[in-house]
Amino acid sequence: MVGRMGHGVRGKAHVGRIDGAIAEQVAVMMQALATPSRVLILARLRESPHAVGELAAAVGMELSAVSHQLRLLRQLGLVVGERHGRQIVYALHDSHVADLLDDAAYHLEHLRLGHRERVERAS
């Protein structure tokens, strides 16, 4: 998928090798996807921005638990919050977060169907 992202980068390719420091940062960020409740919150935010109360009702969690998860997701740079009067409305940080969810779901579907794609080596 080649397109212009909001930050002026074209495409999805990471240029260069993933070194130890980048691997550490990726692992920390990917921990957000290791908890079903956080995946459900991100999936709901993928559809549209929501206030904490709306998210809690949508994912079937206590308000305090959703607030805690949103705080973590915000610290990881996966969501942003914007104050609207007395509420904070949360949204995905950018389209990359939606891509992470889509790619994970796509991979699971490939596994379920027994598909395998060969990875081309970079020259």
Side-chain angles (χ1 to χ4, degrees), residues 105-117:
Y106 185 64
H107 179 66
L108 288 173
E109 185 66 8
H110 267 224
L111 291 175
R112 187 183 71 75
L113 296 173
H115 292 296
R116 181 168 177 241
E117 294 178 14

Side-chain angles (χ1 to χ4, degrees), residues 50-106:
H50 290 285
V52 179
E54 296 168 339
L55 280 172
V59 299
M61 293 173 60
E62 295 291 326
L63 194 69
S64 61
V66 171
S67 292
H68 174 75
Q69 297 298 342
L70 286 167
R71 193 168 31 260
L72 177 84
L73 293 168
R74 194 175 59 240
Q75 289 170 348
L76 292 171
L78 297 174
V79 301
V80 293
E82 184 177 309
R83 185 165 291 283
H84 289 257
R86 296 179 65 189
Q87 293 185 341
I88 297 177
V89 176
Y90 288 89
L92 295 182
H93 185 273
D94 57 27
S95 64
H96 300 125
V97 180
D99 290 343
L100 281 172
L101 293 171
D102 290 346
D103 287 345
Y106 185 64

Side-chain angles (χ1 to χ4, degrees), residues 1-3 5 7 9-16 96:
M1 168 191 280
V2 176
M5 301 290 173
H7 49 65
V9 176
R10 292 194 152 290
K12 289 177 28 173
H14 170 76
V15 179
H96 300 125

Side-chain angles (χ1 to χ4, degrees), residues 32-44 73 101:
L33 300 178
T35 303
S37 60
R38 289 193 291 260
V39 173
L40 286 171
I41 290 168
L42 290 170
R44 186 58 65 151
L73 293 168
L101 293 171

